[in-house]
Amino acid sequence: GNSVTQMEGPVTLSEEAFLTINCTYTATGYPSLFWYVQYPGEGLQLLLKATKADDKGSNKGFEATYRKETTSFHLEKGSVQVSDSAVYFCALREAGTALIFGKGTTLSVSS
Amino acid sequence: KAGVTQTPRYLIKTRGQQVTLSCSPISGHRSVSWYQQTPGQGLQFLFEYFSETQRNKGNFPGRFSGRQFSNSRSEMNVSTLELGDSALYLCASSAGQGGNQPQHFGDGTRLSIL
């Protein structure tokens, strides 16, 4: 079946550091890929998405590129802020099926 | 545009009781999904409703059930509560069931079982 694997956290960075959170997936078809972010005490917010190979999703300085050849969708940000501290989830969805999530990666950014 | 609204935000129950959680999707969204989030198991899919019909179901016991109304609002019911049902229950809505349709989440209902 389909699955998503994320790098284990927590990831601890200083403000303005470069961020990469790795995400790889297994899918039988052609899924769309998503990154969600969850702040303490809140639900998940859609951060960005990509619907086909080589698409790049971007939002709020975060980027991720849908790489079919490596089945990856790594999240990157050039300069993180304290306010980016949260849990990040990679997810995939095929038509007619539910979202499948990775286990989440906790990011902690210190000033 | 108002987001996904879940009520109540917090709930405390005891073992053996039953509970009903409510979800109002974004206006115009016809698909509603429910997820359970726990520290140990992460985010697990419960079920999805579209146009009042259950379209997908996760691997949960029959104690977990749901329904969707004609206005797309959805409820989830858990009967004979167990300690292990303590979790954050998240509702998400999307415009359709297409794979490229992002799901938008509410802030969840935190259910604690004593």
Side-chain angles (χ1 to χ4, degrees):
Chain A
N2 294 352
S3 65
V4 174
T5 302
Q6 285 181 244
M7 61 187 288
E8 294 283 330
V11 174
T12 304
L13 296 173
S14 298
E15 207 165 25
E16 298 183 6
F18 185 86
L19 169 71
T20 300
I21 299 179
N22 290 337
C23 170
T24 57
Y25 68 90
T26 302
T28 53
Y30 302 95
S32 292
L33 302 174
F34 306 87
W35 276 101
Y36 283 85
V37 58
Q38 186 176 33
Y39 299 99
E42 299 183 10
L44 277 67
Q45 295 179 24
L46 177 66
L47 185 56
L48 52 84
K49 73 171 187 176
T51 59
K52 61 182 186 300
D54 300 325
D55 264 2
K56 177 187 278 190
S58 61
N59 185 26
K60 299 180 182 178
F62 291 90
E63 292 183 340
T65 301
Y66 190 140
R67 301 282 188 205
K68 193 166 185 291
E69 63 277 13
T70 54
T71 61
S72 65
F73 192 54
H74 304 320
L75 182 68
E76 297 182 335
K77 187 176 185 183
S79 177
V80 293
Q81 305 300 312
V82 173
S83 57
D84 293 326
S85 298
V87 182
Y88 293 81
F89 292 91
C90 184
L92 69 80
R93 188 181 189 195
E94 290 192 68
T97 66
L99 266 174
I100 295 173
F101 289 92
K103 290 192 178 299
T105 302
T106 299
L107 171 65
S108 179
V109 181
S110 57
S111 58
Chain B
K1 207 175 195 182
V4 177
T5 303
Q6 291 188 245
T7 56
R9 286 296 309 277
Y10 303 93
L11 210 44
I12 299 175
K13 293 286 186 180
T14 57
R15 282 183 299 173
Q17 288 187 308
Q18 75 165 22
V19 67
T20 299
L21 313 182
S22 180
C23 172
S24 293
I26 291 171
S27 178
H29 283 192
R30 296 167 62 193
S31 174
V32 173
S33 297
W34 290 88
Y35 295 85
Q36 182 195 64
Q37 185 177 27
T38 59
Q41 299 298 319
L43 283 152
Q44 294 186 285
F45 170 70
L46 282 154
F47 25 67
E48 178 181 13
Y49 287 86
F50 183 82
S51 294
E52 301 178 66
T53 302
Q54 187 179 91
R55 301 301 177 113
N56 286 301
K57 188 176 189 308
N59 189 26
F60 277 81
R63 300 185 296 108
F64 292 80
S65 63
R67 57 178 175 168
Q68 185 181 34
F69 302 95
S70 57
N71 61 358
S72 294
R73 191 177 72 84
S74 177
E75 288 181 348
M76 190 189 98
N77 185 276
V78 188
S79 63
T80 319
L81 286 165
E82 301 177 359
L83 291 177
D85 297 333
S86 294
L88 179 67
Y89 289 88
L90 293 165
C91 169
S93 74
S94 60
Q97 286 190 289
N100 62 353
Q101 299 279 346
Q103 294 191 331
H104 300 271
F105 286 78
D107 284 337
T109 294
R110 172 76 61 184
L111 176 63
S112 299
I113 311 301
L114 303 179

